[in-house]
Amino acid sequence: MKNPKVRQVVLPLITAMIWGSSFVTQSLSAGHLGCFSFNALRSIPAALALLLLLLVVRRIRPREKYTAEEKRALLRGGLICGFFLTLGVNLQQFGIETTTAGKAGFITTLYIILVPVFSIMLGKKAKKSTWIYVLFAVAGLYFLCFDGGSVSFSSGDFYIFLCAFAFTAQILAVDHYVQRVDGIALSCAQFAVVIMLSAIGALVFGEHTTLAAVKTCLPFLLYVGVMSSGVGYTLQILAQKDGDPTVVSLLLSLESVFAVLFGFLLLHERLTAREGVGCVLMFSAVILSQLPETK
């Protein structure tokens, strides 16, 4: 996709669809594998698939060897993006163990507010209409994720709250480094870091992983690893190469909508009127984000 505007919209939408569909497989794996073990194992097929893709692309479109500066940028980018991604996925998994999925979904997607806020703090300009569609998105996510009951803030909620900051940092780090290095190489590097750091976490926290558990979860690990991790995060990086990180993050947040839709289509879960309102608000936010700003 040579048109940056099309790439900025289409690729995040595909990513959101993949991430939304992966919630089923992730939940099925949770009862068999520990948090760090799951994230380390899911990142192995992701890194391998990306490495294979990188080799194929290099064969089709040969390029000169990386310069010393490009190698340093790739190393720094892989370490920084991988660190924040490791932090985000593991904090999220820890939090889900002690909070509801609805509250976890809402708190995680606070990154759609944090990304423009931190972008402005880093000196980037934002459209005046940014805050309007961000508010629409937050309202939509609220209706999607909260059932209108009482609100409490548990330790799990706090972990999820921290993971929103980690994902914000990862999105902004990707936005910075993808302008300097190849997007596929950067994605491959960050997942290599996730494997290493998550494996260390599994050892430190004494997670017990059996071969039987891995065999049981193998189809889920392959789907989440190749599609959600490998394809999804690579499409995110490619979308951010020429796109506005605020708009990209907003489109990525549609994973909540797709999660509801896939639950309805695959698990025969019915949408409540409240969830329907949330979907309408979320799609309204997407439409608003694509409208040109009037002078």
Side-chain angles (χ1 to χ4, degrees):
M1 295 179 186
K2 295 183 178 180
N3 188 331
K5 186 68 174 179
V6 173
R7 182 165 59 193
Q8 180 184 347
V9 175
V10 175
L11 296 187
L13 281 175
I14 296 174
T15 303
M17 186 182 301
I18 292 172
W19 286 349
S21 66
S22 68
F23 276 106
V24 175
T25 55
Q26 285 181 259
S27 62
L28 291 173
S29 300
H32 302 279
L33 294 171
C35 168
F36 287 109
S37 299
F38 173 76
N39 285 310
L41 290 170
R42 69 179 280 190
S43 299
I44 293 174
L48 291 176
L50 289 167
L51 180 60
L52 178 61
L53 177 61
L54 186 62
L55 294 174
V56 171
V57 171
R58 288 288 182 270
R59 180 63 63 89
I60 297 174
R61 293 185 299 177
R63 55 154 291 171
E64 296 180 0
K65 293 183 178 181
Y66 286 117
T67 64
E69 178 57 33
E70 286 176 326
K71 288 179 180 179
R72 287 193 293 268
L74 181 59
L75 178 61
R76 288 194 300 268
L79 288 172
I80 293 173
C81 296
F83 170 77
F84 286 120
L85 182 57
T86 303
L87 198 60
V89 295
N90 284 293
L91 282 171
Q92 185 184 59
Q93 196 70 16
F94 274 122
I96 288 176
E97 293 177 358
T98 54
T99 190
T100 63
K103 292 181 71 175
F106 176 75
I107 299 171
T108 297
T109 46
L110 284 175
Y111 67 77
I112 69 172
I113 298 177
L114 297 174
V115 166
V117 169
F118 279 91
S119 294
I120 293 172
M121 292 173 62
L122 293 173
K124 292 195 174 187
K125 293 182 179 180
K127 296 191 301 182
K128 293 179 181 179
S129 59
T130 295
W131 306 108
I132 298 176
Y133 59 73
V134 165
L135 287 174
F136 266 78
V138 171
L141 288 167
Y142 176 83
F143 280 102
L144 275 172
C145 300
F146 278 87
D147 59 6
S150 60
V151 178
S152 60
F153 202 76
S154 65
S155 60
D157 298 332
F158 183 66
Y159 285 131
I160 301 294
F161 181 71
L162 292 179
C163 100
F165 283 88
F167 285 133
T168 298
Q170 190 263 351
I171 289 173
L172 294 175
V174 165
D175 184 60
H176 175 76
Y177 283 103
V178 78
Q179 313 302 329
R180 293 162 173 77
V181 299
D182 178 78
I184 300 175
L186 177 61
S187 188
C188 185
Q190 75 171 353
F191 276 106
V193 173
V194 174
I195 294 170
M196 179 182 65
L197 295 181
S198 294
I200 293 173
L203 292 173
V204 170
F205 286 89
E207 292 185 357
H208 181 62
T209 303
T210 65
L211 182 59
V214 174
K215 287 182 177 179
T216 300
C217 299
L218 187 59
F220 311 140
L221 290 168
L222 290 175
Y223 181 81
V224 176
V226 175
M227 295 301 296
S228 179
S229 299
V231 176
Y233 280 101
T234 301
L235 291 180
Q236 173 207 347
I237 287 175
L238 295 176
Q240 285 188 232
K241 189 172 183 64
D242 299 297
D244 181 348
T246 300
V247 176
V248 171
S249 66
L250 176 63
L251 293 168
L252 292 175
S253 72
L254 282 172
E255 66 176 291
S256 297
V257 177
F258 284 114
V260 173
L261 292 177
F262 276 106
F264 173 74
L265 294 173
L266 301 179
L267 303 178
H268 307 292
E269 297 174 350
R270 297 182 63 85
L271 283 171
T272 65
R274 186 183 185 87
E275 290 169 334
V277 171
C279 289
V280 170
L281 287 172
M282 284 294 297
F283 280 111
S284 298
V286 173
I287 293 172
L288 287 173
S289 72
Q290 301 310 309
L291 294 177
E293 187 171 28
T294 57
K295 295 183 180 181

